[in-house]
Amino acid sequence: MYKVLIVDDEYYIRQRLRTCIEWEDEGFTIGGLAANAEEAFSILSDHSYHLAVIDISMPKKDGLTLIQELRENKIPLKVVILSGYGTFEYAQKAIKYGVTEYLLKPIDEDELIKSLRKIKQELDTEHNINQVYQNHFHTNYLLNTVQKDNYFKKIFTD
């Protein structure tokens, strides 16, 4: 299961997002809810989340600023932006910060599910690639260890 943080300043929207779909059926679990960007940054800084669903418009610090800070701090996670704004300027900034999906409010549940399935596929692929690399490095380590052992055995037995 991939861990999700929902970030929205409106309590009822956070609760609705949490309950509007069966997250577990899509391979995700809700790890937490945040009411503002500062709280979200604090939670996401521990690097254990895979996805953040972030409202673009929040008081004090907006969602785009939060995403910019996440990227500057090299916090690797997928981001779905929820926006009441369909303007090109917001979409352009979202692209600049590597947002995975940009959904307009009111949220279409089918569109959200479609986005989650796409993100899950990307996360699965990244996980599989990481596994291949880890296996490769582990195999090389074992091979080097065996070669060293054989080398020293040959030195001491000859």
Side-chain angles (χ1 to χ4, degrees):
M1 289 282 188
Y2 296 110
K3 198 169 170 185
V4 180
L5 178 70
I6 296 173
V7 184
D8 198 299
D9 60 312
E10 295 183 46
Y11 173 81
Y12 291 108
I13 291 178
R14 287 193 310 274
Q15 295 307 316
R16 179 71 181 133
L17 283 169
R18 187 175 59 83
T19 61
C20 72
I21 60 171
E22 296 296 327
W23 290 87
E24 290 80 17
D25 292 349
E26 303 305 327
F28 294 91
T29 183
I30 302 296
L33 306 171
N36 58 57
E38 291 84 8
E39 182 182 359
F41 186 82
S42 176
I43 293 169
L44 294 170
S45 293
D46 75 6
H47 298 269
S48 68
Y49 283 80
H50 303 93
L51 171 65
V53 179
I54 302 173
D55 181 25
I56 203 168
S57 177
M58 293 184 285
K60 295 183 184 176
K61 189 185 299 183
D62 67 20
L64 289 174
T65 304
L66 169 61
I67 296 163
Q68 179 184 9
E69 289 176 357
L70 293 169
R71 298 304 185 227
E72 288 171 355
N73 286 278
K74 310 244 185 288
I75 298 172
L77 78 155
K78 305 288 183 193
V79 175
V80 173
I81 280 282
L82 305 178
S83 177
Y85 310 105
T87 64
F88 180 70
E89 178 187 351
Y90 284 108
Q92 189 176 27
K93 283 184 180 179
I95 290 168
K96 176 182 174 185
Y97 299 136
V99 169
T100 310
E101 292 288 325
Y102 191 97
L103 302 177
L104 294 176
K105 290 182 177 179
I107 301 302
D108 179 331
E109 292 172 18
D110 291 332
E111 193 68 28
L112 178 57
I113 290 170
K114 182 179 169 185
S115 295
L116 291 175
R117 289 178 180 163
K118 176 185 166 202
I119 291 167
K120 183 182 181 307
Q121 188 173 29
E122 290 174 11
L123 288 167
D124 287 346
T125 300
E126 290 170 9
H127 176 75
N128 291 336
I129 289 170
N130 286 336
Q131 286 295 104
V132 168
Y133 281 124
Q134 287 177 3
N135 290 341
H136 173 74
F137 288 120
H138 183 70
T139 301
N140 280 343
Y141 170 77
L142 292 175
L143 181 60
N144 286 336
T145 302
V146 168
Q147 287 173 338
K148 287 177 187 175
D149 286 349
N150 288 341
Y151 174 76
F152 287 116
K153 283 180 186 175
K154 188 173 182 178
I155 287 175
F156 291 116
T157 58
D158 286 346

